[in-house]
Each structure stands twice: as C-alpha cells, then as structure tokens.
C-alpha cells in the first residue's frame, strides 16, 4: 500500500522567499509529525497533530514556521522569509493511533536548500 | 521524554550479530523504548519497540534490562544492507520523540 509521501522532494529557495512543503500521510492515520534534520544530525521534532488539532508545536524554531492540517489528513509546513539556517531535510511521519505504543511511518523527506 | 545515549559508531562483520547498545537511565515507568534506522537519503524506518519485556520480530530483537535503564538492539545476521544510522528513542506518548544523533553501524564484508 501507499506510504507517506512528501512533495516536493527537493526545493531550492532564495533567502527571503516563502516555501510550502506538503505531506500526505497514510490514509486513516490519526497522528502526524514534522521533523527537521540538519546534515549529519538526527531528526529534530518540530510539531505534532492529532487529526486536525495541533497538540504540540514546541519544536518550531521561530514564528516563521507554521504548520497546518485543516482536514485531519494532508499537512503543510510553511516557512516564511527563509534563511540559510533553514536548509535541512524536512521529514513527515504518521502513525495510526494516538497512544505511546505506536510506531511512526516516515516519508522520504523534502530537502530544502536556501541560497 | 527521557534522554538516550548511544555510541557514535560501530562496525560489524557481515553475517555476524550486531549488538547496538543504548542507555536511557532516566526512563520512566510508562515510557516505551523504540528503535529506528535511517539509510542514507531515506526517511527513518521503524524496527522494533518494547516496554519491559524483550521483543523479537522479523528484523531484530530488543533486550531491555530489568531496571529498564538500558537496552540492546540485536541484528542476528547483519548484512551489508543493514549499514545505517540506528536511533534509540524513549517515548511516553504519541507526541514528541527525541531522536539524538544515533549510532552509525557499518557492516563490513
């Protein structure tokens, strides 16, 4: 079956541009997560949705970062006025339930390069 | 979520068992131990998880010490395709998970 998909796979932006990254989770999955992964480091948590509710956004690095999941399925991570330090791979993951005993299924990521 | 400590790198001979350790001394009673791996340029892949008991699936075995302060992921017969970064995570609920920098496992022929 289809896994988590993300688009675009690669994005090059000029500093100051706004970008929007899309995540299509596995159908029916309740939970959705966004992570940021800098080169050579592990993924860092950004935000978490349970259906359409954003329950945790403690990892968003600044108010330039905004995530939404309006209908409880597809999610978009938006970065306004991109900076060079925003260059990273942005990973999306979904999981079927909303409890601790619950693996996450990851997408391939979007590699963002800010020039 | 509790913090985990893993060695930055390990080598293993092809066909031998790979034993990857993880310390999680501040784990709380209802936090799960998860293992994921990430092969270059791909998203992390779930391997296994456990709470108190040892677990085994088609990919690996997870051994959790009785005091739950450490665990070991065992790949019984490592292949070259098992070369990856392995992450140990402890997670209380369905939300935030802290990955750390993981262990880079290199399986050598």
């Amino acid at each position: 079956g289809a896994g988590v998909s993300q688009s675009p796979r690669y994005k090059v932006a000029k500093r100051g541009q706004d970008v929007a990254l899309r995540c299509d989770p596995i159908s029916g999955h309740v939970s959705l997560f966004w992570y940021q992964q800098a080169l050579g480091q592990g993924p860092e948590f950004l935000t978490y949705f349970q259906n359409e509710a954003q329950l945790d956004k403690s990892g968003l690095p600044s108010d330039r970062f905004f995530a939404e999941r309006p209908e409880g399925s597809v999610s978009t991570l938006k970065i306004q006025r991109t900076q060079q330090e925003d260059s990273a791979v942005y990973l999306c993951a979904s999981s079927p339930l909303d409890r601790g005993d619950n693996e996450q299924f990851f997408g391939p990521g979007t590699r963002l390069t800010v020039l | 979520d509790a913090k985990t400590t893993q060695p930055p790198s390990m080598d293993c001979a092809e066909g031998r068992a790979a034993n990857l350790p993880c310390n999680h001394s501040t784990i709380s009673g209802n936090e799960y131990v998860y293992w994921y791996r990430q092969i270059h340029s791909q998203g992390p892949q779930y391997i296994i998880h456990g709470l108190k008991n040892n677990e085994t699936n088609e990919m690996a075995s997870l051994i959790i010490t009785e005091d739950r302060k450490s665990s070991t992921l065992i790949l019984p017969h490592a292949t070259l395709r098992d070369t990856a970064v392995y992450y140990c995570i402890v997670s209380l609920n369905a939300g935030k998970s802290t990955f750390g920098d993981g262990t880079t496992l290199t399986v050598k022929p």
Side-chain angles (χ1 to χ4, degrees):
Chain A
V4 177
S5 61
Q6 295 186 244
S7 60
R9 290 294 314 279
Y10 303 90
K11 177 68 178 179
V12 178
K14 292 183 179 178
R15 189 161 58 93
Q17 280 185 331
D18 297 348
V19 298
L21 312 181
R22 177 185 169 109
C23 173
D24 285 80
I26 294 172
S27 178
H29 277 197
V30 169
S31 300
L32 185 144
F33 308 81
W34 283 98
Y35 295 85
Q36 180 190 58
Q37 186 171 26
L39 188 64
Q41 298 182 19
E44 292 200 9
F45 171 84
L46 293 177
T47 186
Y48 156 63
F49 291 85
Q50 186 183 111
N51 296 308
E52 68 279 5
Q54 189 175 18
L55 299 188
D56 188 342
K57 53 182 180 179
S58 62
L60 296 177
S62 78
D63 59 7
R64 297 186 295 105
F65 287 70
F66 173 75
E68 60 183 4
R69 193 186 185 199
E71 298 179 357
S73 55
V74 171
S75 178
T76 303
L77 177 67
K78 298 179 180 177
I79 309 173
Q80 297 176 324
R81 305 181 303 280
T82 53
Q83 304 295 315
Q84 285 188 323
E85 62 263 28
D86 300 335
S87 295
V89 174
Y90 291 85
L91 295 162
C92 175
S94 69
S95 58
L97 300 171
D98 58 352
R99 64 184 196 210
D101 181 14
N102 191 22
E103 67 185 90
Q104 297 181 29
F105 297 81
F106 281 81
T110 293
R111 181 176 297 278
L112 173 65
T113 302
V114 181
L115 303 178
Chain B
D1 292 342
K3 179 180 171 59
T4 62
T5 304
Q6 299 177 253
S9 64
M10 293 182 63
D11 290 343
C12 178
E14 187 178 19
R16 304 298 294 269
N19 296 278
L20 291 90
C22 180
N23 287 321
H24 31 79
S25 58
T26 61
I27 192 170
S28 64
N30 49 359
E31 284 185 309
Y32 289 84
V33 179
Y34 282 82
W35 284 83
Y36 287 79
R37 73 180 183 184
Q38 188 173 28
I39 296 170
H40 185 61
S41 297
Q42 298 181 21
Q45 175 192 24
Y46 166 83
I47 301 173
I48 198 167
H49 76 281
L51 183 61
K52 297 180 181 179
N53 300 321
N54 298 336
E55 302 288 344
T56 295
N57 64 20
E58 65 278 5
M59 290 183 68
S61 295
L62 173 61
I63 308 298
I64 303 174
T65 58
E66 192 170 343
D67 63 7
R68 303 208 328 120
K69 293 185 176 182
S70 65
S71 61
T72 300
L73 178 74
I74 301 172
L75 308 178
H77 306 286
T79 71
L80 299 179
R81 288 177 294 179
D82 292 322
T83 292
V85 180
Y86 287 77
Y87 297 100
C88 168
I89 304 153
V90 293
S91 180
L92 172 63
N93 53 35
K96 181 176 182 177
S97 293
T98 302
F99 273 72
D101 290 336
T103 295
T104 299
L105 175 69
T106 303
V107 180
K108 298 185 175 181

